Structures are given as C-alpha cells and as structure tokens.
Amino acid sequence: MRRFTFITGLVAIAAALALPSLAPAGTGSSTLVGTDGPGFTITMSKKTVKAGTYTIVIHDKSNIHNFHLTGPGVNKLTSTPWVGTKTWTVKLNKGTYRFVCDPHATSMKGVLRVT
C-alpha cells in the first residue's frame, strides 16, 4: 500500500509539472505581477516583455492606492479603497503601457514596454 501511495504521489507531481495550466498564478513566463502599496510604491515584475497574451496579477495592498494600467487596447484598474488581489488576462500589443496610482499619479507611476 505504501508503494502505491508513493507512486501515485510521483505521478501527480509529474502531471503538475508537465501541465503549465496547473501551475500557480504568478509562476509562468506569461504572468506579470503588479503591486501598489503598502507605502507609496507601485511596481511591475518586468520592465519589457514581448507582445502577447498575459495574465497580470495585481496585489493592491493599500486602501489609499489603486493600480491603473493603460496602453494600446488596455485600460484596467483596481479601485480605491479596495484592498486585495485581482487577476486580469490582457493582450499586450507593441507599444508603451503606463501604470499609475490615480490618487498619487505624480509620484506613483511606471512604464511597461512591449516589443
């Protein structure tokens, strides 16, 4: 019985590694992670990516901030005073995308370049 359990466990691990769709959010190469707060910071996990479809996981860590991403064909945002995690699936075309905290746009901003 122990051997059966061990082999079953190995098969499950091999299947999870072989199927990227089973990978946790935020681990794939087509996943970007954006964060705002808890202080006056806003970040994106990459500065430059190739055009394509991406999963973007946003960690909004402060009720005084939001995360607003705009660019060619994209206008996505979290709201204030909401705090939590959101996941978006977006098609990023070649160009420049900007992310900003709307209430603090002069100090909390960044750029994502898509080639």
Side-chain angles (χ1 to χ4, degrees), residues 42 99-101 104-111:
I42 190 166
F99 53 94
V100 63
C101 167
H104 307 100
T106 58
S107 60
M108 293 178 65
K109 58 188 173 182
V111 173

Side-chain angles (χ1 to χ4, degrees), residues 62-79:
S62 174
N63 64 0
I64 63 169
H65 301 309
N66 75 333
F67 194 104
H68 191 174
L69 176 67
T70 58
V74 174
N75 186 4
K76 296 282 202 177
L77 69 151
T78 63
S79 61

Side-chain angles (χ1 to χ4, degrees), residues 30 52-57 74 76 86-92:
S30 64
T53 300
Y54 287 83
T55 299
I56 301 179
V57 179
V74 174
K76 296 282 202 177
K86 289 216 187 249
T87 302
W88 305 323
T89 300
V90 297
K91 182 177 180 186
L92 298 178

Side-chain angles (χ1 to χ4, degrees), residues 31-34 43-52 54-56 58 67-72 74 88 90-100 109-115:
T31 299
L32 300 171
V33 178
T43 61
M44 181 71 78
S45 60
K46 301 271 186 179
K47 301 282 186 204
T48 304
V49 296
K50 293 186 179 197
Y54 287 83
T55 299
I56 301 179
I58 301 297
F67 194 104
H68 191 174
L69 176 67
T70 58
V74 174
W88 305 323
V90 297
K91 182 177 180 186
L92 298 178
N93 299 305
K94 288 183 181 182
T96 301
Y97 291 78
R98 301 190 187 287
F99 53 94
V100 63
K109 58 188 173 182
V111 173
L112 174 66
R113 288 183 176 74
V114 180
T115 60

Side-chain angles (χ1 to χ4, degrees), residues 4-19 22:
F4 176 75
T5 304
F6 178 73
I7 291 172
T8 303
L10 285 178
V11 169
I13 291 169
L17 292 174
L19 298 172
L22 296 178

